[in-house]
């Protein structure tokens, strides 16, 4: 009965619009009071949830993303992408995807990508003759590539929960992320040709070189982060700090968009965003502890394995569960609650845990663009001043192409495992 009340309170609070962190906390509190468990367990479990060194990556990469936005680094990424791809039919849409892939390789968060790229590209694409819902849909869909291509905040969370190497997960996400980006570019091109979207004038070669030279420092940031982690020069946590220092220096002294006066506001925004994320991690850990104490993960595992122990069928069921949950729950909360149980089911039928981590994150990223709680849809709808339903309809072709990539990644493990096995050994 207490478990039913736990989920009932949680779902009711979500339905009335309560922020998910507070919904998790209040639902957990109701369970503890009914069970007569001492409330001292609340700070203990919350602290245990965030007392992980690798979680320091989160404020680091959030700060790096904020420094990029204010320091004009994002603008140079977008300009270079436009110069490179703008002359192709639907070129601004292609540049939108390319910009998200590059930006995502630095910030590791989809929502930051939607907000930063969207604020530049959605108005720009609308002025150039693209339908605004299409521009918003491209922005939201392509932002989901960010947490697949390393670095990735959700993969950091998954690693802290399961003990899986974050470095291996970062590498495992590289090829699937590139595959997602390519699939969305193909979708953009097909839609652009069918709908007669414009193409820009081809940029002269020397202007392209000039844009590439200007964007060099922004592109180098991605290379430094990835090579540093792959080469063993620094951990993912240290990589986030290197990214911050690099963004600070380049934004202040190369692109000159940053100034000392702007830093307090940037730091304040970073603190608010990071504290909200870590509060959610702590409260979700409390919620997850309650589920574990009630043996809910074991019940889920037993239910799935009672249907089939065939890895192909089990992976299909796990995908359906994650897609459903991702449509209603925020990514980090979903990972903390479900990932430890589901990774146990996956490894129990012979699936590599790193491979499953990529599958789980990819599923939940797709959830960010799926109603009713698709956070990225809300972000781009707000930027474009569009109804949520209009954007949801426009994003359907991109959802279908991402689902196709998800199936490919699910059933061809080499797509995820080839790179980490090559560079870090099996």
């Amino acid at each position: 009965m207490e478990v039913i009340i736990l989920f009932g309170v949680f779902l009711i609070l979500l339905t009335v619009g309560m922020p998910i962190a507070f919904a998790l906390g209040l639902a957990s509190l109701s369970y503890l009071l009914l069970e007569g468990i001492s409330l001292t367990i609340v700070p203990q479990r919350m602290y245990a949830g965030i007392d992980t060194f690798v979680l320091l990556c989160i404020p680091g990469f959030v700060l790096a993303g904020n420094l990029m936005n204010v320091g004009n680094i994002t603008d140079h990424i977008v300009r270079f992408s436009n110069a490179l791809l703008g002359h192709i039919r639907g070129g601004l849409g292609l540049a939108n995807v390319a910009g998200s892939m590059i930006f995502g390789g630095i910030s590791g968060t989809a929502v930051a990508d939607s907000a930063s790229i969207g604020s530049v590209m959605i108005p720009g694409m609308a002025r150039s003759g693209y339908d605004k819902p299409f521009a918003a849909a491209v922005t939201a869909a392509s932002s989901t590539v960010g947490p697949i291509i390393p670095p990735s905040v959700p993969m950091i969370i998954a690693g802290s929960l399961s003990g899986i190497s974050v470095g291996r997960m970062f590498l495992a996400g590289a090829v699937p992320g590139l595959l997602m980006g390519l699939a969305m570019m193909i979708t953009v091109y097909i839609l652009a040709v069918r709908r007669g979207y414009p193409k820009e004038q081809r940029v002269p070669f020397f202007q392209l070189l000039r844009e590439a030279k200007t964007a060099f420092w922004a592109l180098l940031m991605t290379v430094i982060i990835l090579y540093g982690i792959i080469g063993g020069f620094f951990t993912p946590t240290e990589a986030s700090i290197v990214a911050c220092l690099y963004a600070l220096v380049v934004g202040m002294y190369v692109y000159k968009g940053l100034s000392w006066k702007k830093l307090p506001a940037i730091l304040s925004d970073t603190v608010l965003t990071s504290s909200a994320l870590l509060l959610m991690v702590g409260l979700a850990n409390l919620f997850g502890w309650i589920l574990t104490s009630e043996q809910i993960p074991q019940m889920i595992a037993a239910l799935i394995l009672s249907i089939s122990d065939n890895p192909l069928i089990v992976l299909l069921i796990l995908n359906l569960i994650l897609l459903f949950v991702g449509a209603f729950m925020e990514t980090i909360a979903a990972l903390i609650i479900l990932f430890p149980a589901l990774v146990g089911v996956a490894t129990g039928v012979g699936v590599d845990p790193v491979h499953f981590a990529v599958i789980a994150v990819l599923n939940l990223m797709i959830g960010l663009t799926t109603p009713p709680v698709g956070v990225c849809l809300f972000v781009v709808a707000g930027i474009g001043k569009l109804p949520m339903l209009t954007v949801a309809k426009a994003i359907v072709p991109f959802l279908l192409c991402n689902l196709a990539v998800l199936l490919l990644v699910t059933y061809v493990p080499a797509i995820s495992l080839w790179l980490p096995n090559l560079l870090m050994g099996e």
Side-chain angles (χ1 to χ4, degrees):
M1 177 60 71
E2 287 79 5
V3 173
I4 295 173
I5 293 173
L6 173 76
F7 282 106
V9 172
F10 178 61
L11 293 174
I12 290 169
L13 292 174
L14 280 185
T15 304
V16 299
M18 176 78 71
I20 192 161
F22 295 114
L24 288 166
L26 290 173
S28 301
L29 187 62
S30 67
Y31 172 89
L32 295 174
L33 291 172
L34 286 171
E35 283 286 300
I37 298 173
S38 171
L39 296 185
T40 56
I41 198 69
V42 175
Q44 290 173 6
R45 298 316 309 172
M46 287 181 66
Y47 182 76
I50 61 175
D51 185 25
T52 306
F53 179 71
V54 75
L55 290 183
L56 287 174
C57 290
I58 294 177
F61 284 123
V62 169
L63 177 57
N66 288 340
L67 290 169
M68 285 174 62
N69 288 334
V70 179
N72 294 333
I73 296 176
T74 305
D75 291 342
H76 288 288
I77 290 172
V78 171
R79 284 174 51 187
F80 172 67
S81 300
N82 285 344
L84 189 64
L85 300 167
H87 64 280
I88 304 170
R89 179 72 62 187
L92 285 181
L94 298 175
N96 195 328
V97 178
S100 291
M101 292 170 71
I102 297 168
F103 182 85
I106 301 170
S107 74
T109 57
V111 177
D113 188 344
S114 291
S116 58
I117 301 289
S119 62
V120 177
M121 292 301 292
I122 293 174
M125 290 176 70
R127 285 194 301 268
S128 298
Y130 292 79
D131 296 331
K132 191 179 279 189
F134 174 80
V138 173
T139 303
S142 62
S143 70
T144 60
V145 176
I148 307 299
I149 295 176
S152 164
V153 170
M155 287 187 184
I156 294 165
I157 298 292
S160 70
L161 291 169
S162 59
I164 302 171
S165 164
V166 174
R168 286 188 74 86
M169 283 195 290
F170 277 8
L171 291 176
V175 176
L178 293 173
L179 200 58
M180 277 182 74
L182 179 61
M184 279 188 277
M185 283 184 167
I186 293 170
T187 304
V188 167
Y189 180 75
I190 292 170
L191 292 174
V193 170
R194 285 183 177 177
R195 298 176 184 178
Y197 288 142
K199 56 182 180 180
E200 306 292 310
Q201 290 274 335
R202 183 184 287 273
V203 173
F205 180 70
F206 287 107
Q207 184 179 339
L208 178 60
L209 282 182
R210 190 160 55 247
E211 291 292 350
K213 182 180 177 182
T214 305
F216 169 78
W217 295 103
L219 300 174
L220 184 62
M221 190 174 182
T222 305
V223 175
I224 290 172
I225 292 171
L226 295 184
Y227 182 72
I229 295 172
I230 294 167
F233 294 103
F234 37 72
T235 66
T237 301
E238 292 162 349
S240 69
I241 306 307
V242 170
C244 292
L245 293 173
Y246 185 89
L248 178 65
V249 172
V250 171
M252 191 169 288
Y253 299 109
V254 178
Y255 296 139
K256 303 186 188 311
L258 271 177
S259 65
W260 293 109
K261 290 182 179 179
K262 294 179 180 178
L263 284 182
I266 294 170
L267 292 172
S268 174
D269 183 60
T270 300
V271 168
L272 288 172
T273 303
S274 302
S275 58
L277 285 170
L278 291 172
L279 175 64
M280 187 187 303
V281 171
L283 290 170
N285 187 67
L286 172 64
F287 193 90
W289 174 82
I290 292 171
L291 296 184
T292 302
S293 66
E294 291 286 347
Q295 297 191 321
I296 302 298
Q298 292 89 329
M299 292 167 60
I300 293 171
L303 178 61
I304 293 171
L305 293 175
S306 70
I307 298 171
S308 174
D309 59 1
N310 184 320
L312 301 181
I313 303 298
V314 170
L315 282 173
L316 178 61
I317 295 170
L318 294 177
N319 273 323
L320 292 174
I321 291 172
L322 287 164
L323 284 171
F324 177 78
V325 171
F328 292 92
M329 190 179 292
E330 203 279 335
T331 301
I332 291 174
L335 276 174
I336 293 170
I337 293 168
L338 285 177
F339 186 75
L342 298 187
V343 74
V345 176
T347 54
V349 294
V351 178
D352 187 287
V354 173
H355 177 212
F356 179 71
V358 174
I359 294 171
V361 172
L362 212 165
N363 269 290
L364 295 173
M365 288 304 101
I366 292 173
L368 289 175
T369 57
T370 307
V373 193
V375 180
C376 291
L377 291 183
F378 284 103
V379 171
V380 298
I383 293 171
K385 295 180 173 58
L386 293 165
M388 172 74 164
L389 186 59
T390 301
V391 181
K393 289 178 180 177
I395 207 168
V396 169
F398 299 100
L399 281 176
L400 293 175
C401 91
N402 283 342
L403 288 172
V405 172
L406 172 62
L407 286 174
L408 197 60
V409 171
T410 298
Y411 291 113
V412 185
I415 293 174
S416 301
L417 300 178
W418 170 74
L419 192 59
N421 289 344
L422 176 69
L423 297 176
M424 301 181 74
E426 298 189 21

